[in-house]
Amino acid sequence: MTTSASTQTPFDSFAWDWTAPYPTQDADLLKQLNFIPGLKEILMLRQVHALEHATVWVLSNSGAAEYSAATTRDNELLGGMSTEHGFYLYGQVNATDLWRAVRMALQRITSGEWDLAVHPRCGTNLSVSMMLTFGLALGMHLLLPRGPVEQIIALGVAAMAASQIAPNAGAIAQKYLTTAIPFNLVIADITFTRDVWGRPAHFVRLRWVE
């Protein structure tokens, strides 16, 4: 996920009617289903993913007034990648500003600003768009005549329809599947390093607490 500046909400047409998260929801789930291998890592990854998005939002709006749905800016020079141990932050930012942004992001998102967990440039959106395009194209292929002209038209219609549906569908997927409010995370440290592809980045290491 990377971020030129514009004035917009994350998803202008999407209604943010979260079912209110509560601080012990993931911890309770882990206690009930602790026999499932890898569950803790999945739960932590979802929380890390949300904090990554929130940090990018905070950094993108650090020169503006208080974050609000009406004045949200997205800095395309910033991006991130989440792991079950923390997240990589790409872009020009100094360590002091990053520390401040992560702390602020964690405080704000756990205090009720749930929409900070969702970001329009998340890879989830691309995955959803690809699946929608494939599904719609397959459906059109089966429904329409098999002539080349009809099939080309069908592919174009499927791509256009998917592009219209994908932003909100991607937001829903992020909201319910790929992120969770990071109630169980604390900041361990932030270091300048390189990711697995050798790209320079800051790594925000996080710890799970009950």
Side-chain angles (χ1 to χ4, degrees), residues 138-185:
L138 180 61
M140 299 286 281
H141 169 75
L142 296 174
L143 290 173
L144 293 180
R146 300 302 173 86
V149 174
E150 290 87 348
Q151 291 299 307
I152 291 173
I153 293 172
L155 183 59
V157 170
M160 290 178 59
S163 69
Q164 295 297 312
I165 300 169
N168 282 352
I172 292 170
Q174 289 183 61
K175 174 180 170 182
Y176 291 110
L177 297 177
T178 64
T179 70
I181 305 304
F183 292 118
N184 298 101
L185 298 185

Side-chain angles (χ1 to χ4, degrees), residues 37-59:
L39 178 60
K40 183 176 180 179
E41 287 74 16
I42 293 171
L43 295 175
M44 183 161 178
L45 180 59
R46 294 176 72 228
Q47 293 196 20
V48 171
H49 195 189
L51 183 56
E52 175 215 319
H53 288 173
T55 301
V56 171
W57 279 126
V58 169
L59 286 169

Side-chain angles (χ1 to χ4, degrees), residues 66-133:
E66 186 73 12
Y67 173 96
S68 72
T71 59
T72 302
R73 299 182 302 177
D74 179 16
N75 182 357
E76 292 183 359
L77 299 179
L78 296 174
M81 182 180 71
S82 294
T83 76
E84 67 270 26
H85 302 295
F87 64 89
Y88 292 94
L89 194 288
Y90 305 100
Q92 295 297 317
V93 58
N94 66 57
T96 301
D97 289 342
L98 182 54
W99 268 102
R100 186 182 302 114
V102 178
R103 287 196 296 265
M104 182 181 294
L106 185 58
Q107 188 276 324
R108 286 166 61 175
I109 196 172
T110 56
S111 297
E113 294 185 59
W114 317 133
D115 58 334
L116 289 173
V118 178
H119 200 284
R121 289 184 292 102
C122 178
T124 301
N125 289 15
L126 178 60
S127 299
V128 168
S129 179
M130 291 174 63
M131 288 189 292
L132 282 171
T133 301

